Amino acid sequence: MEKLRVIGTGGTIAATATEKGDKPTIGVTTLLHKIPQIRERFDSDPIQLLQKDSTFINHKDWARIAREAYHASAQGNKVLITHGTDTLAYTSAALSFAIQNPQTSIVLTGSMRLPEEPETDALKNLTDSAIFLLEGAKGVYVVFNGKVMTASRITKVHSTDVNAFDTVDGKYVATVEENRVVYQNKLVESNAQTNLADTFDNRVCTLKVTPSLPKDIFDAILDKGFKAINIAAFGTGNIPYTSSKGDPEKVLGGLLRKAIQTARRVPVVVTSQAAHGGVDLRKYEVGRKIEIPPMISGEDMSQEAAHVKLMWCLGQGMNLDEIRRSFERSYAGEITVG
Amino acid sequence: MEKLRVIGTGGTIAATATEKGDKPTIGVTTLLHKIPQIRERFDSDPIQLLQKDSTFINHKDWARIAREAYHASAQGNKVLITHGTDTLAYTSAALSFAIQNPQTSIVLTGSMRLPEEPETDALKNLTDSAIFLLEGAKGVYVVFNGKVMTASRITKVHSTDVNAFDTVDGKYVATVEENRVVYQNKLVESNAQTNLADTFDNRVCTLKVTPSLPKDIFDAILDKGFKAINIAAFGTGNIPYTSSKGDPEKVLGGLLRKAIQTARRVPVVVTSQAAHGGVDLRKYEVGRKIEIPPMISGEDMSQEAAHVKLMWCLGQGMNLDEIRRSFERSYAGEITVG
C-alpha cells in the first residue's frame, strides 16, 4: 500500500451547516473514511493540523502546512491537503514556493458544497485526488472539479459554482475522467534537490488600478511601511503613467517609479486584473512607458501567485535585485519562461 | 435611414502599430467607412470626442461621454461609442448610472486587435453593434465578440483573447449570429423618465483582501481621506473579522466596522474577488459576522460596477444611508433584485 499523509486544515470540505452559518467541524479522518479509493489503496495517516475557514488561513499557517507536507514527503509519503476554497489559490501558491522540488505528489483539494449535501463535490474531489496521487507525479498540484492543475497557476473564478477554479493560462496538467487520469500537457518534474523555504513576510499589498484612482493611495501604502506592491493593472499591464497636465510624477506610474528608484527600493510587480492572459508590457505605448526596469513584470503569473511570491521573496530576505531575478525564474511553473 | 451618433474615444479599435508601441491614431470616420451595415443603413454623425488609450480614460471623460451620448439619444439618435478595452467595463458601468432610462440604444464596443491586422475583431464588433442597434432596444449595452451584454454587468476576463469580456452572471442579452440578433434573455426596458446624472467622485478605493493583509492598510486609506471603499473579498464575500487572539478591532473586519460606525461613516461595499458568482454574506459564519449592517453587500454586482457605483453615488452627494439604499436598488441591471 502507498503511504499517504493527509493534512486537514478545515474549509467547506470539513464544514457542516450550523445555526450561525456553515463552519468547519468535520475531522479529516471522518472524511477519508468515505472514500474507498483512499481506504483501500492507501495506508493513510491523517492529521488535523488546523480547523479553519480558509478566510483565516494566514502566512504562518502556510509555514506550518509546508513543514508538515515537506517532512511527510521527504519520508516518502504522498500528501493530500484538504483546504477551504476561499484562499486555496494563495495557499497552493505558497506551498509551491515553500516546498521546492518535492520527491512525491502533494495535492491540495477542497469543495464548494458541504460533504453532507446530496450534491456535494467533496467526495468527487477527494476521489479524484486519490486517483491522481496514485500516478506518483512529483510536484504540488490542485485537484478540483475533475481538473489537475499546477498549484502555482490557479485562481478562483467563481464564488458559488463547483467549477470554481481555473488556471490563468487555461491549461491543465490532466483531467480525471471516469476514474482515469487523462494527461492534457506534459508533466514538468524536476530532479533537483528538494528543499524547504517556509518563511513569508506579510507586508505586501495588492492594489487594483481603477480609473481616476487618486495617486496618494501609493503614498498611503508606502508610508505605512509596506515592503512590496503587486499592481493589478489594466489589460496587458497598463497603468496611467502621465496626465494630460504632463507631470509624470503626479500620476500612478510616476509615483511607482519613484518608489522603486529612491532609497526605499520597493519592489513593484505588475500583473493584470483580467483573470487570464497575463501581462505584456511591450504591447502598448502605455505599457512601454512603465516597462521594466524599474517595474517587475508578472508575465503570465496569476495575481495570487505574484502576491505570494513577493511575500516569499521578502521572507527569504531577498533585496530588490534578487527579487527581480526571482521573478524572471519559474520555481514551480508559476510563469512561462523563454 | 436611422440616425446614428458615433462617439470615438480611442482605444485599440482606433490604434495603429508604431515604433513606440500601439497607440490610438485612427479617426472614427475612417472606421465607420469600413462597415457597410453602418454606411448603408444609418445616417451617421461621427464625433471624435477623445483619442486616448483607455488606460487614461478618467471620471471626467465619463461625464463628457455621458453628456454627448445623452443629448444625442434625447434627440432620437441611436448611439455607438468606440472605446479601448482596458477600462471598457468601468466606462460602460459609468454610462449605465449616468444615463438613466435612455429612450434609444446606446452601444459600446472596441477591439482586441488593431483594425489593420488581418485577424482584427474591430470590423466584426462594429458590424455586430450596427446589427444590434437596428433592433432599437432601449438601454446601454456592450457588444463584443458576438455577445450583447448589459453594460453594467461586464468584466474583462482575458487580457489578450478576442473573447475578452464576460458578464458576472454569465448571461447575455443576446448573441449576434450570422448577422442576426438571437435573444438569450428577455430585454428589460424601462419607460421611466430619461435623465442625466453625470457627476462622479474619484476618492474611492478598491482593495483586494489577501491572506495576512496587515490591518493598517485601512488606516492608510482612510487617513488619506478616501470617501468609500470597495472590498474585493474572498469567495462569497468573506473578510477576516477576528484573529486567534480574539480582538475583533485588530483585524480587517473590525476596522472596517469601526470606519463605518464612527464619525467617518465611510461606505464599505463588499464584492467578490472571484470574477463570477457574487457575494452572499449569509452563507458562511465568517460572512455573517460582517453582515450588513454596517457593511453594504455588492450582491451579484461586478467589482467594476460596484466601484463605479460608489463613485457615482458620492458624485450625486449621497450620504451613507442613501448609498446603502442605492446599493439595494438596480439602476441599470447591475444587480439582481428580489
Side-chain angles (χ1 to χ4, degrees), chain A residues 86 90 159 208 238 273 278 303, chain B residues 86 90 159 208 238 273 278:
Chain A
D86 269 1
Y90 297 94
S159 67
K208 188 168 176 173
N238 299 322
Q273 61 190 251
Q303 263 186 55
Chain B
D86 270 2
Y90 296 95
S159 66
K208 188 167 176 173
N238 298 322
Q273 62 188 250

Side-chain angles (χ1 to χ4, degrees), chain A residues 62-327:
Chain A
W62 295 345
R64 286 183 68 188
I65 301 167
R67 283 196 292 273
E68 275 294 332
Y70 174 79
H71 291 301
S73 174
Q75 288 158 20
N77 294 273
K78 289 170 178 177
V79 180
L80 175 60
I81 300 161
T82 57
H83 196 283
T85 62
D86 269 1
T87 62
L88 180 58
Y90 297 94
T91 299
S92 65
L95 298 186
S96 302
F97 299 123
I99 307 171
Q100 295 172 7
N101 311 309
Q103 299 301 302
T104 66
S105 319
I106 298 173
V107 167
L108 296 104
T109 196
S111 74
M112 295 293 286
R113 308 263 181 272
L114 304 176
E116 69 195 7
E117 290 181 283
E119 308 282 298
T120 187
D121 53 336
L123 308 184
K124 172 181 168 53
N125 287 342
L126 287 168
T127 303
D128 289 349
S129 297
I131 290 164
F132 181 68
L133 280 161
L134 286 167
E135 300 279 305
K138 294 176 189 174
V140 189
Y141 302 94
V142 170
V143 175
F144 213 95
N145 197 44
K147 299 182 284 204
V148 180
M149 298 171 277
T150 301
S152 60
R153 281 271 176 189
I154 70 163
T155 187
K156 190 170 186 181
V157 292
H158 206 293
S159 67
T160 59
D161 197 88
V162 295
N163 195 16
F165 291 91
D166 213 338
T167 60
V168 288
D169 59 1
K171 292 181 187 164
Y172 312 130
V173 170
T175 49
V176 183
E177 300 170 18
E178 296 171 5
N179 295 327
R180 276 190 334 114
V181 174
V182 180
Y183 286 91
Q184 304 292 322
N185 284 287
K186 203 159 163 262
L187 268 182
V188 181
E189 293 185 355
S190 166
N191 286 314
Q193 180 69 36
T194 184
N195 187 36
L196 178 68
D198 63 354
T199 316
F200 297 88
D201 186 322
N202 70 329
R203 295 207 69 81
V204 176
C205 180
T206 286
L207 186 77
K208 188 168 176 173
V209 175
T210 44
S212 301
L213 182 64
K215 62 188 167 34
D216 49 4
I217 188 71
F218 286 107
D219 289 331
I221 293 168
L222 295 170
D223 289 352
K224 288 284 176 187
F226 277 78
K227 294 178 193 164
I229 301 177
N230 171 38
I231 303 289
F234 298 133
T236 52
N238 299 322
I239 298 172
Y241 63 86
T242 189
S243 68
S244 52
K245 301 282 187 298
D247 180 351
E249 296 303 317
K250 288 209 172 150
V251 289
L252 301 184
L255 276 170
L256 286 170
R257 188 183 295 271
K258 207 167 145 187
I260 300 165
Q261 288 170 334
T262 60
R264 293 201 265 214
R265 306 223 354 122
V266 172
V268 176
V269 169
V270 179
T271 50
S272 175
Q273 61 190 251
H276 305 289
V279 305
D280 174 3
L281 298 181
R282 293 206 65 79
K283 173 107 178 99
Y284 291 92
E285 187 187 28
V286 295
R288 293 199 192 181
K289 293 265 178 171
I290 60 150
E291 205 199 344
I292 47 170
M295 302 211 197
I296 300 171
S297 170
E299 303 287 339
D300 61 347
M301 287 177 75
S302 69
Q303 263 186 55
E304 293 88 340
H307 184 99
V308 172
K309 192 169 181 173
L310 275 171
M311 290 176 72
W312 180 78
C313 288
L314 291 172
Q316 304 305 303
M318 294 182 197
N319 64 23
L320 175 62
D321 295 327
E322 289 164 335
I323 291 175
R324 186 183 305 288
R325 284 196 296 276
S326 279
F327 270 79

Side-chain angles (χ1 to χ4, degrees), chain B residues 271-292:
Chain B
T271 51
S272 174
Q273 62 188 250
H276 305 290
V279 306
D280 174 2
L281 298 179
R282 294 206 63 79
K283 172 108 179 96
Y284 292 92
E285 188 187 27
V286 295
R288 292 200 194 185
K289 292 267 179 171
I290 61 150
E291 206 198 344
I292 45 168

